[in-house]
Amino acid sequence: MIKKQIVKFRIRRYNPDLDDEPHFIDYDIPYKDHQVIMDGLHHIFQNIDSSLGYRWNCRSGQCGSCAININGVPGLSCRTNIDPSDLYILEPLSNFPVIRDLVVDYSIGFKRLAKLRPFLDRTSTPERPEELTRESLSIAADLRSCIKCFSCYAACPVVASAKQDFPGPIAMRELARFEFDPRDEGDRVQMAVSSGVYDCTSCGLCKEVCIPKHIDTRRKAIEGLRARAVDRDMGPLEEHQNFIDKIKSTGYSVDVITKPFTDQVPSIIDVEDPIDEITFFPGCLINLRLQHIGHNIIEVLKRNHIKVQIPKDFVCCASVAFRTGSRNITNDIILKNVKYFEKLRVKKLVALCPGCMSTIKQDWPVVLHEHGAQPYQFEPFDINEYLIREIGLKNLNTRELHPLKIKVTYHDPCHLNRSQEISKEPRMLLKLIPGISFIDIQQSDRCCGAGGGVRAGRRNLSEEISRIKVKLLTAPNPDIIATSCSFCFVQLTDAIKRADLP
Ligand code: SF4
Ligand code: SF4
Ligand code: FES
């Protein structure tokens, strides 16, 4: 006889009329092929407990009403397939009051949207027929496709930290939808600036959870609105402008107060019997503040017989300009870097800073294309990606690694994990250290609050987001919190000091 497969659901139950506190109840669901989470909820309702509260309507990913947290991440229950080997922890969406069980009260989200006049705002009556072209509407096409499931709102770390202020990615998407619609006459940029367009940390989680439509709210809406704000002298924030001014005057986004890393090392770091040759892009932070990280990377590369070229005259990668909407300076910087790397005959460009490398991988090609320039000729790599995918785990020199009896947790940088899809590699490298006890925390990919200009421009908000992250990272009492981003490193170091941990 074939044994029936069972799926385990653990559901957060709460009936305010009966329960003092929410609690979890486990359910066994008979598994059938092609089953989705909603089928399991229907099974419970029809066969086990008809008091279970959950929402659904279209069953086809169109209405957005069935969004819940599935294993900690917002998703549509009608579109999430079940794997019988998994346990599914089902909870109501975060950042909303719970009405009952998996049903939340969306009023706060809809009220915030309503304040932004979410309709075509026109003062004049257009001549009929009104001429509309596919091109004129195409820029906002995917922004219009939102089904208002509020998954992005529920996931956003800024909404979670500043519940009364930021109307969330869904609202920024709505404003951008009208800003980029040639028919709309509302002042969407003013609305965006006054309702928190500079509060976004650029973490990218809103796109990741937008399973229904894959809308890239961070890039298309928030950075698009920020760029329009800069065009109209309504942005960036003063603190961001300081960075932009520094880039214009020195080529770097931070002050030159110590001897740059590039002046502390030779332009070519040769090794015996090299197995490969790379150019190391230090970025502004390692070059001018965290030089010890640069030296450590060079040491790792040397011990792995990798010859390193140091680009002495590189300039800022332009990440800060892209993220804050200051597109007017990005072209010069990128073209300057690309020409310089051509002159150096760079074949493989490796960086540690994920903010730099995701900008090089994703933004530079767009700018080069816009200017009719040739694509860059080198291969860009994050350092973890390079060591694991290019050199290979088995080929790495682990002979000189000293055993460390330490407990380590890891923070996934947003621009490494989400922007470059690199999360396994840093873990693989950490686990090479003999004696290490690696603990993967829940929400290791939750934003630390540094990015998007928030650390500089919205300090209180940034500190609140990092406080939440440090609490998660320190829960297992680690000896070390590891990360692979110089900016996250600075942010978490400050947050740990503020938390006054032992
Ligand atoms: S990118 Fe992150 S912080 Fe910004 S709106 Fe999206 S989820 Fe929120
Ligand atoms: S943008 Fe995507 S995740 Fe956010 S409400 Fe719309 S469909 Fe849902
Ligand atoms: S029930 Fe409509 S989107 Fe899931």
Side-chain angles (χ1 to χ4, degrees):
M1 203 174 82
I2 299 170
K3 203 176 157 206
K4 269 193 181 170
Q5 278 185 301
I6 295 293
V7 186
K8 297 248 176 234
F9 277 14
R10 180 167 295 160
I11 302 183
R12 190 175 191 262
R13 302 292 308 265
Y14 177 56
N15 180 342
D17 296 333
L18 302 174
D19 304 322
D20 294 332
E21 292 288 331
H23 55 283
F24 284 92
I25 299 184
D26 286 358
Y27 300 91
D28 286 350
I29 318 284
Y31 174 72
K32 292 184 201 132
D33 283 346
H34 311 300
Q35 213 172 14
V36 291
I37 295 283
M38 183 175 289
D39 296 323
L41 294 174
H42 287 334
H43 176 85
I44 296 169
F45 183 78
Q46 286 158 6
N47 301 292
I48 303 174
D49 184 352
S50 62
S51 72
L52 176 67
Y54 63 108
R55 273 203 186 100
W56 60 285
N57 196 339
C58 71
R59 297 195 60 164
S60 58
Q62 300 301 318
C63 72
S65 59
C66 66
I68 55 174
N69 274 355
I70 302 168
N71 292 338
V73 182
L76 299 182
S77 70
C78 74
R79 304 296 281 177
T80 307
N81 288 316
I82 287 177
D83 180 337
S85 58
D86 285 349
L87 163 71
Y88 289 91
I89 300 173
L90 308 179
E91 297 172 87
L93 284 184
S94 312
N95 297 336
F96 290 104
V98 176
I99 296 174
R100 179 167 154 174
D101 297 334
L102 301 177
V103 180
V104 295
D105 180 356
Y106 288 115
S107 316
I108 183 169
F110 279 116
K111 274 184 194 151
R112 285 175 171 182
L113 272 184
K115 276 192 195 156
L116 302 173
R117 299 172 67 81
F119 44 81
L120 267 187
D121 205 350
R122 314 184 97 175
T123 47
S124 55
T125 309
E127 275 184 29
R128 305 287 181 191
E130 186 176 13
E131 193 179 330
L132 291 172
T133 61
R134 191 180 288 271
E135 290 70 37
S136 70
L137 292 174
S138 64
I139 186 165
D142 57 345
L143 297 173
R144 277 200 303 277
S145 68
C146 169
I147 62 168
K148 303 210 170 43
C149 69
F150 280 94
S151 292
C152 54
Y153 182 98
C156 176
V158 179
V159 175
S161 301
K163 289 193 172 100
Q164 300 313 308
D165 301 313
F166 186 54
I170 184 173
M172 292 299 145
R173 178 208 50 75
E174 196 77 351
L175 287 172
R177 165 201 171 162
F178 291 112
E179 171 62 19
F180 298 124
D181 187 321
R183 297 167 295 176
D184 191 78
E185 294 169 9
D187 194 344
R188 305 303 181 170
V189 176
Q190 173 58 50
M191 285 182 195
V193 170
S194 60
S195 54
V197 76
Y198 283 105
D199 290 354
C200 164
T201 64
S202 300
C203 76
L205 188 53
C206 44
K207 180 186 174 198
E208 188 173 278
V209 301
C210 184
I211 304 299
K213 298 293 173 185
H214 309 289
I215 300 171
D216 194 348
T217 295
R218 189 262 285 187
R219 277 179 179 275
K220 288 210 161 167
I222 291 169
E223 290 179 8
L225 288 164
R226 286 179 178 185
R228 291 263 165 121
V230 171
D231 288 346
R232 292 179 52 192
D233 273 342
M234 295 161 78
L237 300 179
E238 197 184 323
E239 295 83 352
H240 303 155
Q241 191 57 48
N242 291 340
F243 290 121
I244 303 301
D245 292 343
K246 278 183 198 127
I247 296 173
K248 281 185 189 161
S249 58
T250 67
Y252 303 119
S253 60
V254 291
D255 287 321
V256 183
I257 50 173
T258 52
K259 192 173 174 184
F261 168 75
T262 47
D263 291 347
Q264 296 178 16
V265 287
S267 51
I268 299 288
I269 298 159
D270 229 332
V271 288
E272 266 182 38
D273 305 325
I275 58 164
D276 202 6
E277 186 176 333
I278 63 127
T279 301
F280 177 58
F281 185 89
C284 299
L285 260 185
I286 290 180
N287 197 33
L288 299 168
R289 289 285 182 283
L290 304 168
Q291 289 96 344
H292 66 285
I293 296 179
H295 289 292
N296 290 342
I297 287 192
I298 299 300
E299 197 55 38
V300 169
L301 293 167
K302 267 169 46 183
R303 290 188 191 202
N304 281 282
H305 293 269
I306 296 158
K307 184 176 168 183
V308 182
Q309 173 171 233
I310 301 295
K312 300 267 176 181
D313 296 325
F314 85 96
V315 288
C316 174
C317 68
S319 166
V320 64
F322 275 107
R323 304 293 79 86
T324 60
S326 307
R327 289 290 309 265
N328 47 347
I329 66 158
T330 57
N331 307 341
D332 288 350
I333 302 175
I334 291 169
L335 293 171
K336 188 170 178 191
N337 272 327
V338 169
K339 267 192 198 151
Y340 176 51
F341 294 152
E342 268 168 23
K343 198 172 120 199
L344 293 182
R345 297 179 191 281
V346 173
K347 290 197 179 67
K348 295 180 181 179
L349 189 72
V350 176
L352 172 117
C353 188
C356 300
M357 191 37 76
S358 59
T359 302
I360 292 169
K361 284 180 178 175
Q362 287 151 16
D363 296 303
W364 286 21
V366 177
V367 168
L368 293 172
H369 178 72
E370 280 170 5
H371 284 75
Q374 288 290 317
Y376 53 65
Q377 297 301 311
F378 55 83
E379 284 182 276
F381 292 100
D382 158 72
I383 182 77
N384 302 280
E385 176 186 31
Y386 173 74
L387 291 173
I388 297 292
R389 296 187 200 167
E390 281 290 290
I391 302 301
L393 192 65
K394 285 190 193 137
N395 301 324
L396 290 174
N397 173 10
T398 53
R399 292 182 303 280
E400 295 165 64
L401 291 175
H402 298 294
L404 284 175
K405 291 271 174 225
I406 51 169
K407 220 194 296 181
V408 178
T409 56
Y410 177 70
H411 163 73
D412 278 295
C414 299
H415 290 291
L416 187 63
N417 171 38
R418 266 179 225 110
S419 300
Q420 299 180 66
E421 297 184 0
I422 295 170
S423 59
K424 290 193 304 288
E425 291 79 358
R427 288 170 168 79
M428 289 162 87
L429 290 171
L430 275 171
K431 287 175 189 171
L432 285 176
I433 302 169
I436 208 166
S437 160
F438 181 77
I439 302 168
D440 234 338
I441 61 155
Q442 274 193 341
Q443 300 183 54
S444 62
D445 63 347
R446 190 184 176 105
C447 176
C448 72
V454 170
R455 179 179 159 88
R458 296 277 192 249
R459 192 48 81 104
N460 290 344
L461 170 62
S462 172
E463 288 182 359
E464 171 60 8
I465 298 173
S466 63
R467 187 189 63 74
I468 296 170
K469 185 63 196 250
V470 162
K471 205 169 160 200
L472 290 163
L473 284 161
T474 53
N477 286 320
D479 302 298
I480 298 272
I481 295 171
T483 190
S484 189
C485 169
S486 41
F487 202 31
C488 297
F489 169 78
V490 171
Q491 173 83 343
L492 292 173
T493 304
D494 285 354
I496 289 164
K497 279 186 203 148
R498 279 194 306 276
D500 201 16
L501 295 166

